[in-house]
Amino acid sequence: MDLQTVADRIEITDLLTRYAHAVDGKDWELYRTVFTADAHIDYGTAGGPVGDLEKVIEGLTVGLGLFTRTQHFISNIAVELDGDAARVRAMFFNPMVVKPGRQFFCGGWYNHELVRTGQGWRSRRLIEEAAWFDGLEAAFAPDSTPEN
């Protein structure tokens, strides 16, 4: 591997880390630094928003407001570099806490199309591919109080 390839792979890994920190911190300014201004983002397989950057941020603000805590673990990062473009497929594992004692877990893949910009690598297209959910119904089940 040449030094440019190594540098690109490190920067792309940093981009995915920044993405996770932005989503979990609900830091939409940081989230914007992950994407190009004209990016298309699709969280549809998980029931999330689909559309341009601002529409998706609006949807995530509402959707992630349902959770007291989230964590996005990103691993198994496969990068295909092609000059100033790259395709990335990375696994995710997300514990999602509705409230203490009410959580679920999900996993799948993030599929990014990246471009090199003057500000570094950015995603111009993200397609989330949710593969599984565990505990989703119980996490959102109505609270039951015993009758006396």
Side-chain angles (χ1 to χ4, degrees):
M1 237 183 257
D2 64 30
L3 286 178
Q4 184 61 57
T5 300
V6 172
D8 287 339
R9 292 179 63 85
I10 290 169
E11 187 177 343
I12 288 167
T13 299
D14 287 350
L15 179 78
L16 298 176
T17 300
R18 189 165 71 242
Y19 168 86
H21 286 283
V23 172
D24 291 328
K26 300 174 187 168
D27 183 339
W28 307 124
E29 289 307 311
L30 184 61
Y31 185 85
R32 284 180 179 92
T33 71
V34 173
F35 297 95
T36 61
D38 63 346
H40 176 78
I41 304 164
D42 183 343
Y43 296 111
T45 61
V50 176
D52 65 30
L53 184 57
E54 294 308 316
K55 179 178 180 182
V56 167
I57 289 172
E58 184 179 309
L60 288 176
T61 300
V62 172
L64 290 175
L66 300 171
F67 304 98
T68 58
R69 292 186 181 89
T70 65
Q71 271 189 313
H72 287 69
F73 296 90
I74 300 174
S75 67
N76 298 21
I77 302 166
V79 177
E80 294 177 21
L81 290 166
D82 184 14
D84 290 337
R87 288 186 178 271
V88 175
R89 181 168 169 87
M91 289 183 175
F92 69 82
F93 170 71
N94 298 353
M96 309 287 283
V97 178
V98 178
K99 63 182 183 181
R102 295 287 186 107
Q103 67 275 329
F104 71 94
F105 304 90
C106 61
W109 294 269
Y110 292 129
N111 299 289
H112 285 274
E113 292 178 14
L114 304 180
V115 293
R116 187 189 318 268
T117 72
Q119 296 77 40
W121 288 98
R122 297 293 183 264
S123 180
R124 69 175 169 204
R125 184 172 176 87
L126 166 59
I127 307 295
E128 180 184 73
E129 186 181 335
W132 59 272
F133 294 87
D134 183 40
L136 182 62
E137 290 181 12
F140 286 103
D143 289 328
S144 60
T145 55
E147 306 256 343
N148 291 329

